[in-house]
């Protein structure tokens, strides 16, 4: 039925691997920060509940780290096996942050090990907390380094090509390319936001199920306060990402907004369906908003898709990915800010059912926004693998066995994800908070 096509199959396999990996990578970057916040609160307020929070989050975190290591290794392998031509060119230029990412991970893993085994071992609790700092730095640094590699694919810099030969390689310039600031900041901020929301959803679920120990309320309050902060930073940085695109990858932004003709006072298109002749139906138009997103000026000119050759246009489906991401972003910000405001006004109850349900929905939705953000960023780069230098077709392997690899890797991911879910469930259900509070004499 399908004709074997190594390029298509390589894209599918890499896409599936990344879609799985990004879940674990995102919580891997964000949760150490949340653990640090909880333990810090515990020490500052001398409150054992917060320390127990840190302890339980850390236990769950280890499981997700383990899965992240496996899927991350799969990506490393697939980069060289499925995209040999890309690695041959890019490997020379961008290997610095690729190595640094591995280094940052080792740094994190070593201290995580020590951290886990030294609860209650120090007379001064702050020493234990200090062990977490390198863990959080290592986690964020891996996210930083690997995002610079993705930035490089979008805005390749730091090398010259003379007669087809790579010369004059400048690794730092490659790493700190024009896409780096917004990409790195948006990736990190959205990882913190998502981690806060996932943990908040768990606490909200416990409260909704009638568990009324103050432990859950403290967990919810801490995570939702963090979520409110990071929802705002994510949206603000997302706006800068839009300005980056307008300057360096205008075709990606135009594809996201179905903006066909270059024009001033461009509106933002929400939803809708594309008819023949590029006619947009059933969409919500926000006047001037695209000009503002692109240039911070309601009358600014925004470049349309008409200015690019037909064979260099990204797929127009990215419009929906972008809308979903932004829509979810707005929802998360609204819920988090509302929660914080309600919690401030004592007479009102921030623990009412609709808010709790919205927070619970926010957990999976934030993960969906992460997926949509990456789908937009990656498909929006098509047909390029390395913008301006190498298309995806040119970068791929010609191997005849990628289809079999897809089957094998998908089986691996299914096993990994079910194992992760089962272990986490067992770990927390066999040892509920209430029991652990009692065992530790903290009721
Ligand atoms: Fe996002 C991406 C914007 C929200 C996640 N973002 C992206 C982009 C843009 C944006 C423009 C592209 C960039 C490039 O390509 O370079 N966002 C935005 C905005 C907002 C947002 C405006 C507001 C609302 N996001 C968001 C959220 C999330 C996200 C909420 C989650 C949670 N994104 C994301 C990701 C990505 C994106 C992950 C991929 C990476 C990059 O940066 O690229």
């Amino acid at each position: 039925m399908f004709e074997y096509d190594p390029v298509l199959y390589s894209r599918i396999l890499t896409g599936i691997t990344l879609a799985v990996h990004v879940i674990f990578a995102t919580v891997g970057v964000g949760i150490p920060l949340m653990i640090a916040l909880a333990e810090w609160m515990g020490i500052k307020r001398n409150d054992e509940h917060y320390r127990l929070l840190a302890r339980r989050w850390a236990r769950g975190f280890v499981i997700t780290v383990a899965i992240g290591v496996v899927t991350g290794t799969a990506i490393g392998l697939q980069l060289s096996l499925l995209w040999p031509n890309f690695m041959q060119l890019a490997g020379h230029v961008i290997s610095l942050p690729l190595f640094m990412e591995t280094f940052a991970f080792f740094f994190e893993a070593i201290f995580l090990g020590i951290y886990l085994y030294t609860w209650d071992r120090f007379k001064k609790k702050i020493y234990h907390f200090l062990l977490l700092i390198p863990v959080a730095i290592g986690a964020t640094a891996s996210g930083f380094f690997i995002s610079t590699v993705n930035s490089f694919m979008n805005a390749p810099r730091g090398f010259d090509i003379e007669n087809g030969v790579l010369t004059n390689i400048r690794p730092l310039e490659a790493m700190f390319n024009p896409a780096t600031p917004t990409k790195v900041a948006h990736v990190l901020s959205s990882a913190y936001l998502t981690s806060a929301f996932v943990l908040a959803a768990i606490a909200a679920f416990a409260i909704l199920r009638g568990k009324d120990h103050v432990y859950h309320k403290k967990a919810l309050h801490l995570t939702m306060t963090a979520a409110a902060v990071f929802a705002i930073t994510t949206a603000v940085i997302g706006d800068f990402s839009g300005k980056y695109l307008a300057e360096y990858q205008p075709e990606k932004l135009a594809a996201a907004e179905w903006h066909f003709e270059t024009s001033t006072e461009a509106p933002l298109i929400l939803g809708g369906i594309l008819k023949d002749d590029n006619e947009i139906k059933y969409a919500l138009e926000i006047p001037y908003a695209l000009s503002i997103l692109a240039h911070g000026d309601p009358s600014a000119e925004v470049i349309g898709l008409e200015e690019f050759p037909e064979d260099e246009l990204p797929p127009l489906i990215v419009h929906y990915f972008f809308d979903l991401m932004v829509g979810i972003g707005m929802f998360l910000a609204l819920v988090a800010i509302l929660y914080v405001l309600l919690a401030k006004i004592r007479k009102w109850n921030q623990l009412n059912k609709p808010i709790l349900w919205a927070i619970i929905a926010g957990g999976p939705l934030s993960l969906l926004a992460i997926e949509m953000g990456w789908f937009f960023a990656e498909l929006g780069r098509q047909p390029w693998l390395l913008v301006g230098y190498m298309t995806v077709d040119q970068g791929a392997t010609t191997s005849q066995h990628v289809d079999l690899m897809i089957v094998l890797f998908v089986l691996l991911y299914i096993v990994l994800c079910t194992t992760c879910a089962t272990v986490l469930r067992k770990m927390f259900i066999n040892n509920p908070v209430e029991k652990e509070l009692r065992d530790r004499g903290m009721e």
Side-chain angles (χ1 to χ4, degrees):
M1 189 171 64
F2 288 110
E3 211 179 313
Y4 181 86
D5 173 6
V7 178
L8 178 66
Y9 284 150
S10 295
R11 288 183 66 188
I12 293 176
L13 178 49
T14 312
I16 296 174
T17 305
L18 283 166
V20 177
H21 178 67
V22 77
I23 300 281
F24 295 97
T26 301
V27 297
V29 167
I31 290 193
L33 180 71
M34 298 308 300
I35 303 176
L37 282 177
E39 193 170 7
W40 174 248
M41 292 281 284
I43 294 171
K44 213 181 67 177
R45 299 200 177 168
N46 199 11
D47 184 333
E48 283 299 319
H49 290 149
Y50 283 108
R51 291 190 73 229
L52 182 60
L53 254 182
R55 208 186 267 257
R56 288 177 66 91
W57 285 345
R59 259 183 238 146
F61 174 64
V62 179
I63 312 296
T64 57
V65 168
I67 313 273
V69 172
V70 182
T71 54
T73 311
I75 306 237
L77 268 175
Q78 288 171 15
L79 260 182
S80 25
L81 294 179
L82 300 178
W83 309 100
N85 304 332
F86 168 68
M87 284 311 274
Q88 203 179 10
L89 195 161
H92 290 287
V93 190
I94 202 69
S95 47
L96 173 69
L98 274 172
F99 273 126
M100 293 298 285
E101 198 226 351
T102 316
F103 181 78
F105 168 69
F106 287 149
F107 185 70
E108 173 190 348
I110 291 167
F111 282 93
L112 180 62
I114 307 175
Y115 177 80
L116 289 172
Y117 285 102
T118 49
W119 281 100
D120 305 323
R121 290 286 175 87
F122 295 101
K123 271 221 180 73
K124 285 199 173 145
K125 288 176 182 154
I126 193 84
Y127 289 163
H128 186 251
F129 170 77
L130 289 180
L131 284 171
L132 192 59
I133 307 253
V135 178
I137 292 179
T140 290
S142 340
F144 169 84
F145 288 122
I146 207 63
S147 302
T148 68
V149 179
N150 185 266
S151 307
F152 172 78
M153 296 164 70
N154 284 279
R157 296 289 186 280
F159 62 93
D160 299 323
I161 293 184
E162 276 166 28
N163 309 324
V165 184
L166 206 59
T167 56
N168 197 10
I169 292 167
R170 305 174 297 278
L172 286 176
E173 197 183 320
M175 199 171 142
F176 295 98
N177 58 70
T180 302
T182 48
K183 173 93 55 185
V184 165
H186 197 54
V187 165
L188 294 180
S189 172
S190 60
Y192 300 143
L193 168 63
T194 303
S195 305
F197 246 103
V198 167
L199 295 174
I202 297 172
F205 189 63
I207 296 175
L208 198 73
R209 276 176 45 202
K211 304 196 169 184
D212 59 358
H213 197 286
V214 57
Y215 171 94
H216 302 292
K217 290 176 193 152
K218 287 177 182 169
L220 188 68
H221 196 75
L222 178 67
T223 48
M224 284 311 284
T225 311
V229 173
F230 292 122
I232 295 169
T233 55
T234 304
V236 171
I237 299 163
D239 182 66
F240 284 116
S241 297
K243 294 180 172 50
Y244 155 78
L245 287 186
E247 187 167 348
Y248 292 94
Q249 296 180 274
E251 72 284 7
K252 200 194 261 187
L253 187 65
E257 286 306 322
W258 289 348
H259 185 62
F260 295 99
E261 285 154 30
T262 300
S263 69
T264 53
E265 304 182 354
L268 203 73
I269 311 280
L270 283 182
I273 300 176
L274 205 54
K275 295 273 177 195
D276 302 338
D277 303 332
N278 297 339
E279 191 195 345
I280 300 167
K281 276 237 163 110
Y282 316 116
L284 191 71
E285 272 194 24
I286 311 181
Y288 309 112
L290 181 55
S291 288
I292 297 177
L293 175 65
H295 300 289
D297 168 3
S299 58
E301 181 180 84
V302 181
I303 296 177
L305 290 170
E306 61 179 1
E307 317 232 351
F308 299 90
E310 194 101 2
D311 59 349
E312 284 183 19
L313 294 186
L316 294 176
I317 189 172
V318 296
H319 175 63
Y320 295 113
F321 303 149
F322 183 71
D323 277 6
L324 250 174
M325 173 188 69
V326 172
I328 295 173
M330 297 296 165
F331 172 78
L332 298 178
L334 202 82
V335 173
I337 292 169
L338 194 67
Y339 171 92
V340 172
L341 287 181
L342 289 183
K344 277 243 179 313
I345 307 168
R346 291 286 147 147
K347 274 180 292 181
W348 290 4
N349 180 12
Q350 80 276 23
L351 300 179
N352 61 41
K353 275 206 174 141
I355 277 263
L356 289 176
W357 274 116
I359 295 172
I360 294 171
L365 280 178
S366 61
L367 287 169
L368 182 64
I370 293 284
E371 295 285 357
M372 292 300 102
W374 279 116
F375 271 69
F376 166 47
E378 295 298 285
L379 284 172
R381 200 188 56 241
Q382 304 299 319
W384 298 107
L385 180 47
L386 198 55
V387 172
Y389 291 94
M390 183 185 281
T391 61
V392 169
D393 297 8
Q394 293 163 343
T397 175
T398 49
S399 159
Q400 292 303 305
H401 307 291
V402 186
D403 47 358
L404 176 67
M405 299 306 265
I406 296 185
V407 177
L408 293 177
F409 273 105
V410 166
L411 283 176
L412 171 71
Y413 302 146
I414 293 176
V415 171
L416 282 178
C417 291
T418 20
T419 313
C420 179
T422 322
V423 174
L424 283 178
R425 274 199 54 189
K426 280 252 158 69
M427 204 160 161
F428 288 100
I429 286 179
N430 291 352
N431 188 17
V433 179
E434 287 69 15
K435 178 172 175 294
E436 198 164 356
L437 285 164
R438 237 177 293 125
D439 291 351
R440 293 178 187 276
M442 287 159 54
E443 282 169 291

